[in-house]
Amino acid sequence: MLKKLLSYVGEYKKDSVLAPLLIAMEVLVEISIPFFMASIIDDGLNKQNMKHIIYMGTLTFILAIISMSLGIASGRYAAKASAGFAKNIRKALFHKIQEFSFANIDKFSTAGLITRFTTDINNIQTSYQMILRIFVRAPFMMIFATIMAAYIDLKLSLIFIAAVIFLGIAMLIIISIVHPIFTSGVKKYDNINAKLQENISGIRVVKAYVRENYEIIKFKEATNDLKNTMLRGEKIVVFVAPLMLFTMYTCTLLLSWFGAKLIIVEKLTTGELTSLFAYTANILMSLLMFTMVLVNITLSRASAERIVEVLHEKTSIKNIENPDYLLENGEIEFKNVNFSYTDNPNILNLKNINIKIKQGETIGIIGAIGSSKSAFVQLIPRLYDILSGEILVGGKNVKSYDLKTLRDNVAMVLQKNVLFSGTIRENLCWGNKNATEEEIIHAAKLAQADEFIQKFPNKYDTYIEQGGTNVSGGQRQRLCIARALLKKPKILILDDSTSAVDTKTDKAIRRAFKFDLPNITKIIISQRISSIQDSDRIIILDEGEIIGLGTHEELLINNSIYKEIYESQNEGGSTNE
């Protein structure tokens, strides 16, 4: 895990080396100051030597300035290194997620991924900065202060060693207890983000059903759960301060007791005892800082494990060696295809699918909710991979194609219509970033979107809010269809993508497809028979199996389920247009 994360230090290695190096130099300078202060007391004040006091005082002041300058420089390098480290991890996480297949994405919740990008990376950034500074400073300070104390009086320095051992054991016990608690607490951030995301995205429904108080209670429960978990850990960590103070005061009392006796017998000077007190403070404060860093690292360790979990996730769908970069036509063939979302052959979502679709053919798909209509079409551009069998596009197995080549030739309008913040033009150009104005308008006209776009004051430069919340559901669907058409694909898939448009507009879209896109293979999923009855053939799916295949007229005669759906949708009037 550590090796994986440290690989993202990247171009900030120099800063990561300079920060601890400067800290080490700062410690060396700082540790000499009490030694010079002892000289001021013993050889200056006690001997009333003003010249020595001024000389040593000036030298001490200069050393303090140097120490401060080294500390500032170290802080700057540490901040730059930690911020850059966090940036590289975010970048790596984002790139990794872009490589994920739908199966990979299904393993991680949206809220969990957001928590990793925010809270978890912030924890790691803070820990990395503390490691570069405090984690280096504290041990250096303890070691050099102990050496200086031993130089002054070896026996008295044993007090420091005993204190370090006592506190070290106590800290190890505390850290071993709080790590699982903090690990559990970090995961609870996912729950808070999930509640927040759900509430914001569904705020209109919350308002419509007057459920604000219910959502407040849910969110309060999530935050209280996190608070209680983290408090359990903090109640244990809080023992660090009293342990530290107990050790510090014990050291001070022991030094005062034994130091006073040594002064009386003239084995220790007043200045040397003062220096020992200073080194005591340095050692124990360094130990406290070291302990707090360890506690922070314990918290960050849980965050690091969650981040590395994503970075180590193997993409389930990737290119083969020497893939094909040319897809010749939009012919599709399923051969004995079985598919399971869970990769479990005993729980199949699609079973023994066999069908051949000619280039330019229009195929309608209908079936009950949960009959795996979406799964059927998502296998074509390899958003998921099949469990067994073979899918051919253009006469070649889909696994033989370069993924970008395959997906560029298969334009898919998903069930959930997603628009991004930006102008209408920018959203449409997702289909083709180099599309001309004429191509954009033509695609919009085919999708029956140009008419309402022209009514906006800024037309194609109208700003779309995140998720397309400032346009209607039907308008979102038509914009998504236009975006797909701009790809100029060989295969066009509409996954229930006209459900929010009226029947007149739906008919106009189908007519445009028929006359303007004769060579594009079109697959249309719909719950309305009126949207697919003009298709060359219609597939009826039920529990992942094809139970009917034929034209509208053939299925009315030969398939009782299709006939039942048709009659139920035609009660009170005909849907023929």
Side-chain angles (χ1 to χ4, degrees), residues 383-458:
L383 298 177
Y384 289 98
D385 262 346
I386 61 176
L387 197 61
S388 62
E390 191 176 23
I391 298 176
L392 307 178
V393 171
K396 298 176 183 177
N397 193 308
V398 290
K399 294 182 180 180
S400 69
Y401 287 110
D402 169 64
L403 277 172
K404 185 178 186 303
T405 300
L406 176 64
R407 291 173 183 173
D408 276 344
N409 283 280
V410 181
M412 191 166 184
V413 184
L414 297 170
Q415 208 167 31
K416 184 178 179 181
N417 307 114
V418 177
L419 294 174
F420 298 89
S421 53
T423 65
I424 290 176
R425 187 189 312 280
E426 288 169 346
N427 269 277
L428 295 184
C429 284
W430 269 61
N432 179 2
K433 63 181 180 180
N434 298 316
T436 64
E437 185 74 12
E438 292 75 19
E439 289 173 328
I440 291 171
I441 294 173
H442 179 64
K445 285 181 176 178
L446 290 177
Q448 307 303 307
D450 182 69
E451 183 180 354
F452 74 80
I453 293 173
Q454 295 296 343
K455 293 178 181 178
F456 291 135
N458 295 323

Coordinates of all heavy atoms in Angstrom, one line a residue, residues 383-458:
L383 N -19.9 -2.3 -22.6 CA -20.0 -1.7 -21.3 C -19.9 -2.7 -20.2 O -19.5 -2.5 -19.1 CB -21.2 -0.8 -21.2 CG -21.3 0.3 -22.2 CD1 -22.7 1.0 -22.1 CD2 -20.2 1.3 -22.0
Y384 N -20.4 -3.9 -20.5 CA -20.2 -5.1 -19.8 C -19.7 -6.2 -20.7 O -19.9 -6.1 -21.9 CB -21.5 -5.6 -19.2 CG -22.1 -4.8 -18.0 CD1 -23.1 -3.9 -18.3 CD2 -21.6 -5.0 -16.7 CE1 -23.7 -3.1 -17.3 CE2 -22.2 -4.2 -15.7 CZ -23.2 -3.3 -16.0 OH -23.7 -2.5 -14.9
D385 N -19.0 -7.2 -20.1 CA -18.6 -8.4 -20.9 C -19.5 -9.6 -20.7 O -20.0 -9.7 -19.5 CB -17.1 -8.7 -20.6 CG -16.2 -8.1 -21.7 OD1 -16.7 -7.7 -22.7 OD2 -15.0 -8.1 -21.4
I386 N -19.7 -10.4 -21.7 CA -20.5 -11.6 -21.5 C -19.8 -12.6 -20.7 O -18.6 -12.7 -20.6 CB -21.0 -12.1 -22.9 CG1 -19.7 -12.5 -23.7 CG2 -21.8 -11.1 -23.7 CD1 -20.1 -13.1 -25.1
L387 N -20.6 -13.6 -20.2 CA -20.1 -14.7 -19.4 C -19.7 -15.8 -20.4 O -18.6 -16.4 -20.2 CB -21.2 -15.2 -18.5 CG -20.8 -16.1 -17.3 CD1 -19.8 -15.3 -16.4 CD2 -22.0 -16.5 -16.5
S388 N -20.5 -16.0 -21.4 CA -20.1 -17.1 -22.4 C -20.8 -16.7 -23.7 O -21.7 -15.9 -23.8 CB -20.5 -18.5 -21.9 OG -21.9 -18.5 -21.7
G389 N -20.4 -17.4 -24.8 CA -20.9 -17.1 -26.1 C -20.0 -16.1 -26.9 O -18.9 -15.9 -26.5
E390 N -20.6 -15.4 -27.8 CA -19.9 -14.5 -28.7 C -20.8 -13.4 -29.2 O -21.9 -13.7 -29.6 CB -19.2 -15.3 -29.8 CG -18.2 -14.5 -30.6 CD -17.6 -15.4 -31.7 OE1 -18.2 -16.4 -32.1 OE2 -16.4 -15.0 -32.1
I391 N -20.3 -12.2 -29.2 CA -21.0 -11.1 -29.9 C -20.1 -10.5 -31.0 O -19.0 -10.2 -30.8 CB -21.3 -9.9 -28.9 CG1 -22.2 -10.5 -27.8 CG2 -22.0 -8.8 -29.6 CD1 -22.5 -9.4 -26.7
L392 N -20.7 -10.5 -32.2 CA -20.0 -10.0 -33.4 C -20.6 -8.6 -33.8 O -21.8 -8.5 -33.8 CB -20.1 -11.0 -34.5 CG -19.7 -12.4 -34.3 CD1 -19.9 -13.3 -35.5 CD2 -18.3 -12.5 -33.8
V393 N -19.7 -7.7 -34.1 CA -20.1 -6.4 -34.8 C -19.3 -6.3 -36.0 O -18.0 -6.4 -35.9 CB -19.9 -5.3 -33.8 CG1 -20.1 -3.9 -34.5 CG2 -20.9 -5.4 -32.6
G394 N -19.9 -6.1 -37.1 CA -19.2 -5.9 -38.4 C -18.4 -7.2 -38.7 O -17.4 -7.2 -39.4
G395 N -19.0 -8.4 -38.3 CA -18.4 -9.7 -38.6 C -17.2 -10.1 -37.7 O -16.6 -11.1 -37.8
K396 N -16.9 -9.2 -36.7 CA -15.7 -9.5 -35.8 C -16.2 -9.5 -34.3 O -17.1 -8.7 -33.9 CB -14.6 -8.5 -36.0 CG -14.0 -8.5 -37.4 CD -12.9 -7.5 -37.5 CE -12.4 -7.4 -38.9 NZ -11.4 -6.3 -39.0
N397 N -15.6 -10.3 -33.5 CA -15.9 -10.3 -32.1 C -15.6 -9.0 -31.5 O -14.6 -8.4 -31.7 CB -15.0 -11.4 -31.4 CG -15.5 -11.7 -30.0 OD1 -15.7 -10.8 -29.2 ND2 -15.7 -13.0 -29.7
V398 N -16.5 -8.5 -30.6 CA -16.4 -7.2 -30.1 C -15.1 -7.1 -29.2 O -14.5 -6.0 -29.1 CB -17.6 -6.8 -29.2 CG1 -18.8 -6.5 -30.0 CG2 -17.9 -7.8 -28.1
K399 N -14.6 -8.2 -28.7 CA -13.4 -8.2 -27.9 C -12.2 -7.9 -28.7 O -11.1 -7.6 -28.2 CB -13.3 -9.5 -27.1 CG -14.4 -9.6 -26.0 CD -14.2 -10.9 -25.3 CE -15.3 -11.1 -24.2 NZ -15.2 -12.3 -23.4
S400 N -12.3 -8.1 -30.0 CA -11.1 -7.9 -30.9 C -10.9 -6.4 -31.2 O -9.8 -6.1 -31.7 CB -11.3 -8.7 -32.2 OG -12.3 -8.2 -33.0
Y401 N -11.9 -5.6 -31.0 CA -11.8 -4.2 -31.4 C -11.1 -3.3 -30.3 O -11.2 -3.6 -29.1 CB -13.2 -3.6 -31.6 CG -13.9 -4.0 -32.9 CD1 -15.0 -4.9 -32.8 CD2 -13.4 -3.6 -34.1 CE1 -15.6 -5.3 -34.0 CE2 -14.0 -4.0 -35.3 CZ -15.1 -4.8 -35.2 OH -15.7 -5.2 -36.4
D402 N -10.4 -2.3 -30.7 CA -10.0 -1.3 -29.8 C -11.3 -0.7 -29.2 O -12.2 -0.4 -29.9 CB -9.2 -0.2 -30.6 CG -9.0 1.0 -29.7 OD1 -8.3 1.0 -28.7 OD2 -9.5 2.1 -30.1
L403 N -11.2 -0.5 -27.8 CA -12.4 0.0 -27.1 C -12.9 1.3 -27.7 O -14.1 1.5 -27.9 CB -12.2 0.1 -25.6 CG -12.3 -1.2 -24.8 CD1 -11.8 -1.0 -23.4 CD2 -13.7 -1.7 -24.9
K404 N -12.0 2.2 -27.9 CA -12.4 3.6 -28.4 C -13.1 3.4 -29.8 O -14.1 4.1 -30.1 CB -11.2 4.5 -28.4 CG -11.6 5.9 -28.8 CD -10.4 6.8 -28.8 CE -10.7 8.3 -29.0 NZ -11.5 8.5 -30.3
T405 N -12.5 2.6 -30.6 CA -13.0 2.4 -32.0 C -14.4 1.8 -31.9 O -15.3 2.3 -32.6 CB -12.1 1.4 -32.8 OG1 -10.8 2.0 -32.9 CG2 -12.7 1.2 -34.2
L406 N -14.6 0.8 -31.1 CA -15.9 0.2 -30.9 C -17.0 1.2 -30.4 O -18.0 1.3 -31.0 CB -15.8 -1.0 -30.0 CG -17.1 -1.7 -29.6 CD1 -17.7 -2.4 -30.9 CD2 -16.9 -2.8 -28.5
R407 N -16.6 1.9 -29.4 CA -17.6 2.8 -28.7 C -17.8 4.1 -29.5 O -18.9 4.7 -29.4 CB -17.1 3.1 -27.3 CG -17.2 1.9 -26.4 CD -16.7 2.1 -25.0 NE -16.7 0.9 -24.2 CZ -16.2 0.7 -23.1 NH1 -15.5 1.7 -22.5 NH2 -16.3 -0.5 -22.4
D408 N -16.9 4.5 -30.3 CA -17.1 5.6 -31.2 C -18.1 5.3 -32.3 O -18.7 6.1 -32.9 CB -15.8 6.1 -31.9 CG -15.0 7.0 -31.0 OD1 -15.6 7.5 -30.0 OD2 -13.8 7.2 -31.2
N409 N -18.2 4.0 -32.7 CA -19.1 3.5 -33.7 C -20.4 3.1 -33.2 O -21.3 2.7 -34.0 CB -18.4 2.4 -34.5 CG -17.4 2.9 -35.5 OD1 -17.7 3.4 -36.6 ND2 -16.1 2.8 -35.1
V410 N -20.5 3.0 -31.9 CA -21.8 2.6 -31.3 C -22.3 3.8 -30.4 O -21.7 4.1 -29.3 CB -21.7 1.4 -30.4 CG1 -23.0 1.0 -29.8 CG2 -21.2 0.2 -31.2
A411 N -23.2 4.5 -30.9 CA -23.8 5.7 -30.1 C -24.9 5.2 -29.3 O -25.9 4.6 -29.8 CB -24.2 6.8 -31.1
M412 N -24.9 5.5 -28.0 CA -25.9 5.0 -27.1 C -26.5 6.1 -26.2 O -25.8 6.9 -25.6 CB -25.2 3.9 -26.2 CG -26.2 3.1 -25.3 SD -25.3 1.7 -24.6 CE -26.7 0.9 -23.9
V413 N -27.8 6.2 -26.3 CA -28.5 7.1 -25.4 C -29.1 6.3 -24.3 O -30.0 5.5 -24.4 CB -29.7 7.8 -26.2 CG1 -30.3 8.8 -25.3 CG2 -29.1 8.5 -27.4
L414 N -28.5 6.5 -23.1 CA -28.9 5.6 -21.9 C -30.2 6.0 -21.4 O -30.8 7.0 -21.7 CB -27.8 5.8 -20.8 CG -26.4 5.3 -21.2 CD1 -25.4 5.8 -20.1 CD2 -26.3 3.8 -21.4
Q415 N -30.7 5.1 -20.5 CA -32.0 5.3 -19.9 C -32.1 6.5 -19.1 O -33.1 7.3 -19.2 CB -32.3 4.1 -19.0 CG -33.8 3.7 -18.9 CD -34.0 2.4 -18.2 OE1 -33.2 1.9 -17.4 NE2 -35.0 1.7 -18.6
K416 N -31.0 6.8 -18.4 CA -31.0 8.0 -17.6 C -30.3 9.1 -18.5 O -29.1 9.0 -18.8 CB -30.2 7.8 -16.3 CG -30.2 9.0 -15.4 CD -29.5 8.8 -14.1 CE -29.5 10.0 -13.2 NZ -28.8 9.8 -11.9
N417 N -31.0 10.1 -18.8 CA -30.4 11.2 -19.7 C -29.6 12.1 -18.9 O -30.0 12.8 -18.0 CB -31.5 12.0 -20.4 CG -32.5 11.0 -21.1 OD1 -33.7 10.9 -20.7 ND2 -32.1 10.3 -22.1
V418 N -28.3 12.2 -19.2 CA -27.3 13.0 -18.5 C -26.8 14.1 -19.3 O -26.2 13.9 -20.4 CB -26.2 12.2 -17.9 CG1 -25.2 13.1 -17.2 CG2 -26.7 11.1 -17.0
L419 N -27.0 15.3 -18.9 CA -26.4 16.5 -19.5 C -25.4 17.1 -18.5 O -25.6 17.0 -17.3 CB -27.4 17.5 -19.9 CG -28.4 17.1 -21.0 CD1 -29.5 18.2 -21.2 CD2 -27.7 16.8 -22.3
F420 N -24.4 17.8 -19.0 CA -23.4 18.4 -18.1 C -23.5 19.9 -18.1 O -24.0 20.5 -19.1 CB -22.0 17.9 -18.6 CG -21.8 16.4 -18.5 CD1 -22.1 15.6 -19.6 CD2 -21.3 15.8 -17.4 CE1 -21.9 14.3 -19.6 CE2 -21.1 14.5 -17.4 CZ -21.4 13.7 -18.4
S421 N -23.0 20.5 -17.1 CA -23.0 22.0 -17.0 C -22.2 22.5 -18.2 O -21.1 22.1 -18.4 CB -22.5 22.4 -15.6 OG -21.2 21.9 -15.4
G422 N -22.8 23.5 -18.8 CA -22.2 24.1 -20.0 C -23.3 24.4 -21.0 O -24.5 24.3 -20.7
T423 N -22.9 24.9 -22.2 CA -23.9 25.3 -23.1 C -24.5 24.1 -23.9 O -23.9 23.0 -23.8 CB -23.3 26.3 -24.2 OG1 -22.3 25.6 -24.9 CG2 -22.7 27.5 -23.5
I424 N -25.6 24.3 -24.6 CA -26.2 23.3 -25.4 C -25.2 22.8 -26.4 O -25.0 21.6 -26.6 CB -27.5 23.8 -26.1 CG1 -28.6 23.9 -25.0 CG2 -27.9 22.8 -27.2 CD1 -29.9 24.5 -25.6
R425 N -24.5 23.8 -27.0 CA -23.5 23.5 -28.1 C -22.4 22.6 -27.5 O -22.0 21.6 -28.1 CB -22.9 24.7 -28.6 CG -21.9 24.5 -29.8 CD -21.2 25.8 -30.1 NE -22.1 26.9 -30.2 CZ -22.9 27.2 -31.2 NH1 -22.8 26.5 -32.3 NH2 -23.7 28.3 -31.2
E426 N -21.9 22.9 -26.3 CA -20.8 22.1 -25.6 C -21.3 20.7 -25.3 O -20.6 19.7 -25.5 CB -20.4 22.8 -24.4 CG -19.5 24.1 -24.6 CD -19.3 24.9 -23.4 OE1 -20.0 24.7 -22.4 OE2 -18.5 25.8 -23.4
N427 N -22.6 20.6 -24.9 CA -23.1 19.3 -24.6 C -23.2 18.4 -25.9 O -22.9 17.2 -25.9 CB -24.5 19.4 -23.9 CG -24.3 19.4 -22.4 OD1 -24.3 18.4 -21.7 ND2 -24.3 20.6 -21.9
L428 N -23.7 19.0 -27.0 CA -23.9 18.3 -28.2 C -22.5 17.9 -28.8 O -22.4 16.8 -29.3 CB -24.6 19.1 -29.2 CG -26.1 19.5 -28.9 CD1 -26.7 20.3 -30.0 CD2 -26.9 18.3 -28.6
C429 N -21.5 18.7 -28.6 CA -20.2 18.4 -29.1 C -19.5 17.3 -28.4 O -18.4 16.9 -28.8 CB -19.3 19.6 -29.1 SG -19.8 20.8 -30.5
W430 N -20.1 16.8 -27.3 CA -19.6 15.5 -26.7 C -19.6 14.4 -27.7 O -18.8 13.5 -27.7 CB -20.4 15.1 -25.5 CG -19.9 15.7 -24.2 CD1 -19.8 17.0 -23.9 CD2 -19.5 15.0 -23.1 NE1 -19.4 17.2 -22.6 CE2 -19.1 15.9 -22.1 CE3 -19.4 13.6 -22.8 CZ2 -18.7 15.6 -20.8 CZ3 -18.9 13.3 -21.5 CH2 -18.5 14.2 -20.6
G431 N -20.6 14.5 -28.6 CA -20.7 13.5 -29.7 C -19.6 13.6 -30.7 O -19.1 12.6 -31.3
N432 N -19.1 14.9 -31.0 CA -18.1 15.1 -32.0 C -17.5 16.5 -31.7 O -18.2 17.5 -32.0 CB -18.7 15.1 -33.4 CG -17.6 15.4 -34.4 OD1 -16.4 15.6 -34.1 ND2 -18.0 15.4 -35.7
K433 N -16.4 16.6 -31.1 CA -15.8 17.9 -30.6 C -15.5 18.8 -31.8 O -15.3 20.0 -31.7 CB -14.6 17.6 -29.8 CG -13.4 17.0 -30.5 CD -12.2 16.8 -29.5 CE -11.1 16.1 -30.2 NZ -9.9 15.9 -29.3
N434 N -15.3 18.2 -33.0 CA -15.0 19.0 -34.2 C -16.2 19.2 -35.1 O -16.0 19.6 -36.3 CB -13.9 18.2 -35.0 CG -12.6 18.1 -34.2 OD1 -12.2 19.0 -33.5 ND2 -12.0 16.9 -34.3
A435 N -17.4 19.0 -34.6 CA -18.6 19.2 -35.4 C -18.8 20.6 -35.8 O -18.5 21.6 -35.1 CB -19.8 18.7 -34.6
T436 N -19.2 20.8 -37.1 CA -19.5 22.2 -37.6 C -20.8 22.6 -37.1 O -21.6 21.8 -36.6 CB -19.4 22.2 -39.1 OG1 -20.5 21.3 -39.6 CG2 -18.1 21.6 -39.6
E437 N -21.1 23.9 -37.3 CA -22.4 24.5 -37.0 C -23.5 23.8 -37.7 O -24.6 23.5 -37.2 CB -22.4 26.0 -37.3 CG -23.7 26.7 -36.8 CD -23.7 26.9 -35.3 OE1 -22.7 26.7 -34.6 OE2 -24.8 27.3 -34.8
E438 N -23.3 23.5 -39.0 CA -24.3 22.8 -39.8 C -24.6 21.4 -39.3 O -25.7 21.0 -39.3 CB -23.8 22.8 -41.3 CG -23.8 24.1 -42.0 CD -22.6 24.9 -41.6 OE1 -21.6 24.4 -41.0 OE2 -22.6 26.2 -41.8
E439 N -23.5 20.7 -38.9 CA -23.7 19.3 -38.4 C -24.5 19.3 -37.1 O -25.3 18.5 -36.8 CB -22.3 18.7 -38.2 CG -21.6 18.3 -39.6 CD -20.2 17.8 -39.4 OE1 -19.6 18.2 -38.4 OE2 -19.8 17.0 -40.2
I440 N -24.2 20.3 -36.2 CA -24.9 20.4 -35.0 C -26.4 20.7 -35.2 O -27.2 20.0 -34.6 CB -24.2 21.6 -34.1 CG1 -22.8 21.2 -33.7 CG2 -25.1 21.9 -32.9 CD1 -22.0 22.3 -33.0
I441 N -26.7 21.6 -36.0 CA -28.1 22.0 -36.3 C -28.8 20.8 -37.0 O -29.9 20.5 -36.6 CB -28.2 23.2 -37.2 CG1 -27.6 24.4 -36.4 CG2 -29.6 23.5 -37.6 CD1 -27.5 25.7 -37.2
H442 N -28.1 20.1 -37.9 CA -28.7 19.0 -38.6 C -29.1 17.9 -37.6 O -30.2 17.3 -37.6 CB -27.8 18.4 -39.7 CG -28.3 17.3 -40.4 ND1 -29.5 17.3 -41.2 CD2 -27.9 16.0 -40.5 CE1 -29.7 16.1 -41.7 NE2 -28.8 15.3 -41.3
A443 N -28.1 17.5 -36.7 CA -28.4 16.5 -35.7 C -29.5 16.9 -34.8 O -30.4 16.1 -34.4 CB -27.1 16.3 -34.9
A444 N -29.6 18.2 -34.4 CA -30.7 18.7 -33.5 C -32.0 18.6 -34.2 O -33.0 18.3 -33.6 CB -30.4 20.1 -33.1
K445 N -32.0 18.9 -35.5 CA -33.3 18.8 -36.3 C -33.7 17.3 -36.4 O -34.9 17.0 -36.2 CB -33.1 19.3 -37.7 CG -33.0 20.9 -37.7 CD -32.9 21.4 -39.1 CE -32.9 22.9 -39.1 NZ -32.7 23.5 -40.5
L446 N -32.8 16.4 -36.6 CA -33.2 15.0 -36.7 C -33.8 14.5 -35.3 O -34.7 13.7 -35.3 CB -32.0 14.1 -37.0 CG -31.4 14.2 -38.4 CD1 -30.2 13.3 -38.6 CD2 -32.5 13.8 -39.4
A447 N -33.2 15.0 -34.2 CA -33.7 14.7 -32.9 C -34.9 15.5 -32.4 O -35.4 15.4 -31.3 CB -32.6 14.8 -31.9
Q448 N -35.4 16.4 -33.3 CA -36.5 17.2 -33.1 C -36.2 18.2 -31.9 O -37.1 18.5 -31.1 CB -37.8 16.4 -32.7 CG -38.1 15.4 -33.8 CD -38.3 16.0 -35.2 OE1 -39.1 16.9 -35.4 NE2 -37.6 15.4 -36.2
A449 N -35.0 18.6 -31.8 CA -34.5 19.5 -30.7 C -34.3 20.9 -31.2 O -34.4 21.9 -30.4 CB -33.2 19.0 -30.1
D450 N -34.1 21.1 -32.5 CA -33.8 22.5 -33.0 C -34.9 23.4 -32.7 O -34.7 24.6 -32.4 CB -33.5 22.4 -34.5 CG -33.1 23.7 -35.1 OD1 -32.1 24.2 -34.7 OD2 -34.0 24.3 -35.8
E451 N -36.2 23.0 -32.8 CA -37.3 23.9 -32.7 C -37.3 24.5 -31.3 O -37.5 25.7 -31.2 CB -38.6 23.1 -32.9 CG -39.9 23.9 -32.8 CD -41.1 23.2 -33.0 OE1 -41.1 22.0 -33.4 OE2 -42.2 23.7 -32.9
F452 N -37.2 23.8 -30.2 CA -37.2 24.4 -28.9 C -35.9 25.1 -28.6 O -35.9 26.1 -27.8 CB -37.5 23.4 -27.8 CG -36.4 22.4 -27.4 CD1 -35.4 22.8 -26.6 CD2 -36.5 21.1 -27.9 CE1 -34.4 21.9 -26.2 CE2 -35.5 20.2 -27.5 CZ -34.4 20.6 -26.7
I453 N -34.8 24.7 -29.2 CA -33.5 25.4 -28.9 C -33.6 26.8 -29.5 O -33.1 27.8 -28.9 CB -32.3 24.6 -29.6 CG1 -32.1 23.3 -28.9 CG2 -31.1 25.5 -29.6 CD1 -31.1 22.4 -29.5
Q454 N -34.2 26.9 -30.7 CA -34.3 28.3 -31.3 C -35.2 29.2 -30.5 O -35.1 30.4 -30.7 CB -34.9 28.1 -32.7 CG -34.0 27.3 -33.7 CD -32.7 28.0 -34.0 OE1 -32.5 29.2 -33.8 NE2 -31.8 27.3 -34.6
K455 N -36.0 28.7 -29.6 CA -36.9 29.6 -28.8 C -36.1 30.1 -27.6 O -36.6 31.1 -27.0 CB -38.1 28.8 -28.3 CG -39.0 28.4 -29.5 CD -40.2 27.6 -29.0 CE -41.2 27.2 -30.1 NZ -42.3 26.4 -29.6
F456 N -35.0 29.6 -27.3 CA -34.2 30.1 -26.2 C -33.5 31.4 -26.6 O -33.1 31.5 -27.8 CB -33.1 29.1 -25.7 CG -33.6 27.9 -25.0 CD1 -33.1 26.6 -25.4 CD2 -34.6 28.0 -24.1 CE1 -33.6 25.5 -24.8 CE2 -35.1 26.8 -23.4 CZ -34.6 25.6 -23.8
P457 N -33.4 32.4 -25.7 CA -32.7 33.7 -26.1 C -31.3 33.5 -26.7 O -31.0 34.1 -27.7 CB -32.7 34.5 -24.8 CG -33.8 33.9 -24.0 CD -33.9 32.4 -24.4
N458 N -30.6 32.6 -26.1 CA -29.2 32.4 -26.6 C -29.1 31.2 -27.5 O -27.9 30.7 -27.8 CB -28.3 32.2 -25.4 CG -28.2 33.5 -24.5 OD1 -28.2 34.6 -25.1 ND2 -28.1 33.3 -23.2

